[in-house]
Amino acid sequence: MRRTLWNAVSLFSATALMGCATVPELEQDGVSISDIVQRVKCELAFAMPDPQPPYPTGRYQWMRDWTAKVDLTLITNNQASLTPSIAVLHQMPPAVLTGIGTFGQMFGVSGGGGVATTAIRNESLSFTVAFKELRAERSHLACDLPNAPDLYGRLGLQEWIASALAPVANSQLRIGHHPPPNGKSLPAPPVPVAAAETPKQILQQKKALVEFWDGVVKDHAKAVDDHAKAVNSGADLKDIQIAYDEAFIVNRATAKTAAEFGKATVAYKNAKAADPKDTELDGLLQAAKDANDEAAKAKQDVASALEGLPHDPPIDSIGHQVQFVVLSNANIAPNWSLVSFKGPSNAGNLAAASRTNTHTLIIALGAPAVPGTVKPSEEQIRQLNNQHLDALRAPLGQ
């Protein structure tokens, strides 16, 4: 019996040494990491709205310098456990059991134990991309990526960004560089010249149109200046948006002025070809040029006035988190019985192993600390910290 017990203990000890989890191998190689980064860049490139001209009043111009700060974390958790149990059975000799008969009795001793180990590998990658860079790369980004589980599949970033920007699209958040949804219409210009008019009359009409649009520019430029002064004097901040609304009209009217001046230049050449001795033509063209120059100067004044206003966008930052958790496990429960031994797993599993892969993607969109750079702002850092804390507080599946 003593020898049997020793053999059982030896078997238990040898088996226990096998219950160790090894350090996980690299779950993702360089190629795999590149695929994930490429998918993130591709989805962001086509998800972000394009800033509409002109600057700074065009739609989504307030996002022109935004960047995406991305944190990618890949965690592999290997766990292994060994829980052997044994039973040693010994039959007592009949001679010892006097008065009971010739049948012997079985004496049993059972024992068990266990060992469990955990090994974790944590891979992380952080990078920043500018929206300007992504817009420039759209035409040659390799975005024909196969669908797959985890972060290799479609991440739904376009739907997320569209949902986050909905308050801006619906005019619920309006402070910033974007045109008014219900902005004023441009005034109706004079009746255009009929095709049958002479070249000189066409030049006269084009000169009148240039001066007309120049007047529109000046009127609304004065409104921008008035509202900018009101803001700087401490008036209601609603004047900020009104100033942007007026500046939007200035930019459109300035474009009309430049277009009509271009037509006046063509009309001047045609009129000169028809009557080279008509000295009045030079005066008409010069008047159109003066009006166009005044409109361009008024536009510059408007841009300077806007630079002095607060540049707070309607949205400070946007945060997003995607997490995938994949659990795989295996176990073995062998059992056999000998004359005086049962084991090694009388109940439950002898050995079990599991692997949990947790892939987390966190994105913070916002203006950088310094325009034109990728240095994250305090707002982006705040978003990233909040997202990481949320991932720790509530892991997927809990």
Side-chain angles (χ1 to χ4, degrees):
M1 178 177 179
R2 197 179 302 168
R3 185 176 189 79
T4 304
L5 285 172
W6 175 253
N7 290 337
V9 171
S10 300
L11 176 63
F12 173 82
S13 301
T15 309
L17 294 176
M18 301 170 55
C20 299
T22 59
V23 175
E25 68 276 8
L26 283 173
E27 184 68 17
Q28 313 295 331
D29 57 18
V31 175
S32 301
I33 295 291
S34 296
D35 288 344
I36 296 175
V37 172
Q38 186 73 351
R39 181 170 291 280
V40 172
K41 290 182 65 175
C42 284
E43 292 205 23
L44 283 177
F46 293 96
M48 298 309 304
D50 290 332
Q52 301 299 313
Y55 174 82
T57 58
R59 193 172 183 82
Y60 296 115
Q61 281 289 338
W62 51 275
M63 298 183 74
R64 65 197 298 263
D65 293 321
W66 273 32
T67 62
K69 180 70 177 176
V70 182
D71 283 354
L72 174 63
T73 305
L74 308 174
I75 301 175
T76 303
N77 184 329
N78 279 358
Q79 293 184 331
S81 63
L82 182 67
T83 54
S85 61
I86 58 174
V88 179
L89 304 176
H90 185 71
Q91 186 173 10
M92 303 297 292
V96 178
L97 303 176
T98 57
I100 301 179
T102 58
F103 296 98
Q105 293 289 330
M106 299 298 292
F107 173 77
V109 178
S110 62
V115 60
T117 58
T118 300
I120 301 175
R121 182 186 292 276
N122 191 325
E123 308 168 55
S124 61
L125 174 69
S126 181
F127 62 93
T128 304
V129 290
F131 290 173
K132 286 183 179 179
E133 170 192 347
L134 292 176
R135 290 194 295 269
E137 292 181 358
R138 279 178 183 167
S139 59
H140 56 273
L141 270 176
C143 293
D144 187 18
L145 302 172
N147 260 336
D150 298 351
L151 296 180
Y152 300 105
R154 187 171 177 274
L155 302 174
L157 300 186
Q158 186 166 8
E159 292 84 353
W160 157 56
I161 292 175
S163 175
L165 295 179
V168 176
N170 297 333
S171 306
Q172 293 164 315
L173 300 174
R174 298 189 63 213
I175 298 296
H177 294 168
H178 55 277
N182 299 312
K184 300 176 183 177
S185 300
L186 289 177
V191 178
V193 180
E197 299 292 343
T198 65
K200 182 177 181 179
Q201 290 175 320
I202 294 176
L203 174 58
Q204 290 172 334
Q205 290 291 338
K206 295 302 178 186
K207 173 250 185 188
L209 283 173
V210 173
E211 293 175 335
F212 170 80
W213 289 117
D214 174 44
V216 173
V217 171
K218 291 177 180 177
D219 288 343
H220 289 279
K222 182 179 182 305
V224 171
D225 186 61
D226 291 342
H227 288 289
K229 289 178 179 178
V231 172
N232 292 328
S233 65
D236 194 332
L237 290 181
K238 68 181 181 181
D239 286 315
I240 298 177
Q241 187 60 54
I242 298 176
Y244 283 127
D245 295 350
E246 295 290 344
F248 179 70
I249 296 175
V250 167
N251 290 329
R252 288 201 299 167
T254 304
K256 291 278 190 180
T257 306
E260 292 301 334
F261 177 67
K263 296 176 183 177
T265 303
V266 176
Y268 169 78
K269 294 179 180 179
N270 293 335
K272 269 292 189 181
D275 189 359
K277 296 181 180 181
D278 190 345
T279 57
E280 186 182 358
L281 298 176
D282 296 331
L284 293 172
L285 181 64
Q286 185 60 46
K289 182 179 184 304
D290 292 342
N292 183 64
D293 291 344
E294 290 174 2
K297 182 180 181 304
K299 181 183 177 182
Q300 291 177 351
D301 293 340
V302 165
S304 298
L306 292 181
E307 287 298 326
L309 294 177
H311 284 56
D312 297 335
I315 295 178
D316 295 328
S317 62
I318 307 173
H320 187 60
Q321 180 184 145
V322 179
Q323 188 177 79
F324 294 92
V325 178
V326 179
L327 173 64
S328 55
N329 56 63
N331 59 72
I332 183 171
N335 195 6
W336 61 84
S337 297
L338 303 177
V339 174
S340 57
F341 173 80
K342 288 185 178 182
S345 57
N346 291 316
N349 299 319
L350 169 64
S354 66
R355 165 171 290 188
T356 304
N357 291 333
T358 305
H359 296 178
T360 304
L361 175 69
I362 295 176
I363 304 175
L365 308 181
V370 179
T373 69
V374 295
K375 182 179 180 180
S377 63
E378 292 183 1
E379 179 63 24
Q380 285 178 294
I381 294 174
R382 184 187 69 83
Q383 278 281 7
L384 289 173
N385 290 339
N386 287 344
Q387 295 289 343
H388 281 291
L389 288 175
D390 287 343
L392 293 175
R393 291 192 199 104
L396 193 65
Q398 293 188 4

